[in-house]
Amino acid sequence: MRSWRARLVDPAIVVAITLFTGLVSQRWTGLDTPDSSFYASLGLFGDEVSDRAYDNSYFWTRLGYIGPVRLLTGMLGTWGGFAVWRLLLLAVIVAGTYVIMRRYTCRPSAGFVALITSLSTVVLGYLGNPYLTGTVMAGTVVV
């Protein structure tokens, strides 16, 4: 049976990688498409943006993106809410990558791969943009 300290090593590695990457990387990559602007406004204003739409096709995206971002931006303000959402997604990607790699390798290898993944410009670019791709990437890692 492993001690409680040994069980805390893996979560500590995930938290350390997430915080390191969150602190050294650019937080906001901008609104590079009309869709990015639209999802930023949905995250900030919720149903006020799409309540008059003929076919409300945004129901499923509310569960994974609009609802949580709206809640966070309502509680923490625009920049605080988006920053916390980005860190949560980053933590999910780091944890998922670490768990996958830890299953087949040792801690240092799993930590290295999780760190490299978290520092990928693809991951950081999409997590700093309010479009859904960052959320989908995190969900894919979980699955």
Side-chain angles (χ1 to χ4, degrees), residues 10-78:
D10 291 330
I13 291 171
V14 169
V15 168
I17 292 170
T18 302
L19 291 177
F20 173 76
T21 302
L23 290 173
V24 302
S25 62
Q26 183 177 338
R27 292 183 187 102
W28 185 256
T29 58
L31 303 169
D32 59 350
T33 66
D35 287 339
S36 298
S37 300
F38 180 65
Y39 275 95
S41 65
L42 282 173
L44 290 170
F45 304 110
D47 282 344
E48 296 174 31
V49 176
S50 63
D51 63 352
R52 291 181 202 85
Y54 173 73
D55 178 23
N56 195 351
S57 59
Y58 298 99
F59 175 76
W60 293 108
T61 58
R62 283 188 186 140
L63 297 176
Y65 176 77
I66 298 170
V69 171
R70 177 75 176 121
L71 179 68
L72 289 170
T73 57
M75 290 177 10
L76 305 171
T78 301

